[in-house]
Amino acid sequence: MNDDQIFKDRARVLDEDLAGRASTAGADALLAEIALLERVPARRRLMPSARRTLLGLAAAAALAGAIVVGPSLFKASEQVYASQAVTIDRVGDEYAFYFTDGDPDPAELEKAFRKVGLDNLTVTLIPVSPQQPGPVFGVDKTDPNAKATFTGGDCPQRVKNCLTAFSITADIKGPAEVRLSRPANPSEKYAYPADASWPGEALAGVKLQGRSVAEAARVVREHDLKVAYGLDWPLRNGDKGVRFEDDVPASRIDPGWSVTTAQTYNDGVIVLRAAPGPDASPPPGF
């Protein structure tokens, strides 16, 4: 899997650009599953492709196949490395990592990985909203037999000021990449969406959830921002949650549909996600 598939720049499809064009059913699979934990209770959200899973203290990103959610990491362990940014324990046939720096130096983290023999493990920092309430975290690996497990809620019990934690098979083969969030610079585009109503964001304090698409789009334009659209299709067969369809043309959006959330990537565009009406027909795969 190449980098462009993981946290790619998502093409902005604007209503004024796409009105009247043929609709597309593409979804970029950035979010394969979201489960927001204690501090941000929310719906579980799924994409048709199960390539990615998003989890976290408030939101932590991880790639499906590279990571699974398991019980606490905190069993019998032996500390093998510690620095200001990360503590590493040996737990059976795995290494457990506890991150304590929200804007770490990738070179320092990679140095720590080398200390325990993980020579092919690299670190990439991704820009996210400074208001992001929890770390965004991801792993991409090439070894199909390696296992990675993420845990967020218990890590402060193991290491003071721990932000997030995960474990990975100690004898992992081939390259693997860890992705950690860092606060974006003021004009920098986010790699992970933020709620547009958060303090400091483009629509700080403006709640669009529950409003009609038409009303929300009017408010967005009044703030001299552009509008893009996405749809949250309910899962079938009685399952709870939704599937994301992104980059949806304005011609497919009913102005009366209800907005579920307004997202920003700090690029002058507000993505209005909407719940399709009961008579709407989902595209193939939804």
Side-chain angles (χ1 to χ4, degrees), residues 154-165:
D154 290 339
C155 72
Q157 298 176 22
R158 173 61 184 86
V159 175
K160 184 179 180 180
N161 299 322
C162 181
L163 298 174
T164 193

Side-chain angles (χ1 to χ4, degrees), residues 77-213:
S77 62
E78 175 188 2
Q79 184 180 113
V80 293
Y81 182 88
S83 70
Q84 183 177 353
V86 62
T87 295
I88 306 176
D89 285 359
R90 181 64 185 249
V91 186
D93 60 356
E94 298 178 343
Y95 285 116
F97 301 86
Y98 310 93
F99 295 98
T100 51
D101 187 345
D103 190 8
D105 180 354
E108 287 300 313
L109 293 182
E110 291 172 5
K111 178 181 177 181
F113 298 159
R114 304 297 177 270
K115 290 286 187 179
V116 296
L118 296 175
D119 296 336
N120 290 324
L121 198 62
T122 59
V123 177
T124 299
L125 299 183
I126 62 168
V128 301
S129 168
Q131 308 301 322
Q132 179 70 38
V136 177
F137 165 80
V139 174
D140 183 27
K141 66 182 181 65
T142 57
D143 184 351
N145 297 316
K147 181 181 69 172
T149 303
F150 168 79
T151 182
D154 290 339
C155 72
Q157 298 176 22
R158 173 61 184 86
V159 175
K160 184 179 180 180
N161 299 322
C162 181
L163 298 174
T164 193
F166 82 100
S167 68
I168 196 165
T169 303
D171 62 352
I172 183 172
K173 306 297 191 299
E177 181 184 27
V178 174
R179 297 199 166 199
L180 297 172
S181 59
R182 63 165 176 80
N185 297 322
S187 60
E188 188 174 15
K189 184 177 178 179
Y190 303 154
Y192 185 82
D195 190 319
S197 69
W198 285 346
E201 297 300 343
L203 295 176
V206 178
K207 297 295 184 180
L208 299 182
Q209 183 177 3
R211 300 193 192 189
S212 70
V213 170

Side-chain angles (χ1 to χ4, degrees), residues 29-49:
L30 171 66
L31 305 180
E33 180 180 9
I34 293 181
L36 298 180
L37 302 185
E38 302 98 345
R39 289 190 284 171
V40 186
R43 302 163 301 174
R44 185 170 63 95
R45 304 184 179 188
L46 301 177
M47 288 295 296
S49 169

Side-chain angles (χ1 to χ4, degrees), residues 1 4 19 30 54 57 79 82 91 113 123 134 144 175 228 255 261 273-275 278 284:
M1 182 181 298
D4 290 339
L30 171 66
L54 297 180
L57 301 178
Q79 184 180 113
V91 186
F113 298 159
V123 177
T261 187
R273 304 204 63 85

